[in-house]
Amino acid sequence: MEVTLLGTGDTTGTPTVGCDCDTCERARELGVERSRFSVHVRSTTGETLLLDASPDFRYQFLREDFDPPDAALISHVHFDHLDGLGNVYRLTRDMPLYAADETDPETGESVAQTVRRRYDYLDAVEVRPQSPFETFETCGLEVTLVPVDHPPLVCYGLLVEDPETGGRLALSGDTSFAIPGRSQEVLSDADLLLADGIVPAENCEYHPLGGRHEDDDGVPRTFGDKHMTIEGARQLGERLDATETRLVHLSHYIPAEQAFAEDMAVDGERFEL
């Protein structure tokens, strides 16, 4: 399967609108960007699956010269992963959309129900609820949703496998370092892990909640309570024994001299698994 990173940034992206910080300026100098998160997967059948619908959907698909996806999956209902779904209006006639069926105590409805309610005008989108840990097939791929830790809402990581090539793509989802053990087992041994890492651990001093899930050296692996630190994301890759780990959901608060390290993804990267 071919994996294209459509969007590798956080909720504001890099460069951030109206920002002249060193990191945003460095991104402009390098000619790279990190738009809001989304991943495009093409299986050996030629069918395509969109993982999360970035608000930058239109721009991303035009940039990569992609046709509308054959199917999509939504990991959780934060706007930077969901609101691009409205862009499929009049672009497709029949698109299955997969999302978890577990009821979120915070909202009283599942991710699948929230998507259907918010996008009830999209008659071409057929929401297909899925249970975590139960593998389903779409677009010639095998997909498994797993719960992660992104309070206060439910959120899911996922494993995508191509039965023809044996390629394994794992996404941590938006999460703290406290991913449940059963979920870690599913995500282990991937050829490529896309791990949520928003800022370096040193930035935890600026968060009202500080940092959590410190390692043996006292380095926080969670920034606040919703996202991993850069250090946490890297350690997750080691723990899950991923062949390659790329950090995503990166913010512009990473110091410019660190922000474009080799394992930190930028938009448009492609992988064959």
Side-chain angles (χ1 to χ4, degrees), residues 15-36:
T16 294
V17 173
C19 183
D20 61 357
C21 74
D22 290 346
T23 302
C24 288
E25 287 299 312
R26 183 59 178 153
R28 294 183 182 101
E29 292 171 4
L30 294 173
V32 299
E33 61 183 321
R34 293 175 174 142
S35 58
R36 274 76 66 87

Side-chain angles (χ1 to χ4, degrees), residues 114-157:
T114 300
V115 172
R116 181 70 281 168
R117 175 175 56 81
R118 291 191 185 179
Y119 292 95
D120 59 340
Y121 63 90
L122 291 178
D123 294 335
V125 172
E126 176 192 353
V127 179
R128 298 184 182 179
Q130 301 296 322
S131 297
F133 299 113
E134 294 185 8
T135 301
F136 62 93
E137 296 183 2
T138 182
C139 300
L141 301 163
E142 297 175 351
V143 182
T144 309
L145 287 164
V146 297
V148 292
D149 182 54
H150 190 53
L153 302 179
V154 295
C155 184
Y156 301 86

Side-chain angles (χ1 to χ4, degrees), residues 211-225:
R212 299 169 60 199
H213 306 127
E214 289 84 357
D215 63 16
D216 292 341
D217 295 322
V219 177
R221 291 177 288 192
T222 296
F223 176 70
D225 64 352

Side-chain angles (χ1 to χ4, degrees), residues 147-263:
V148 292
D149 182 54
H150 190 53
L153 302 179
V154 295
C155 184
Y156 301 86
L158 62 145
L159 177 70
V160 181
E161 300 177 271
D162 190 323
E164 290 296 317
T165 66
R168 291 166 56 88
L169 167 68
L171 278 71
S172 73
D174 281 17
T175 184
S176 77
F177 193 75
I179 298 175
R182 186 180 178 190
S183 297
Q184 291 189 39
E185 291 177 8
V186 174
L187 299 175
S188 293
D189 301 316
D191 298 295
L192 175 64
L193 169 67
L194 302 179
D196 163 33
I198 196 164
V199 293
E202 63 190 31
N203 289 36
C204 289
E205 65 176 291
Y206 303 113
H207 195 289
L209 298 179
R212 299 169 60 199
H213 306 127
E214 289 84 357
D215 63 16
D216 292 341
D217 295 322
V219 177
R221 291 177 288 192
T222 296
F223 176 70
D225 64 352
K226 298 180 189 298
H227 297 276
M228 287 185 286
T229 61
I230 301 299
E231 292 85 346
R234 287 171 174 159
Q235 289 188 40
L236 181 70
E238 295 173 0
R239 174 177 291 189
L240 298 184
D241 199 23
T243 301
E244 182 172 5
T245 299
R246 302 294 284 167
L247 277 55
V248 295
H249 212 280
L250 299 159
S251 77
H252 70 131
Y253 294 110
I254 305 167
E257 62 273 16
Q258 303 175 30
F260 302 97
E262 186 176 352
D263 62 351

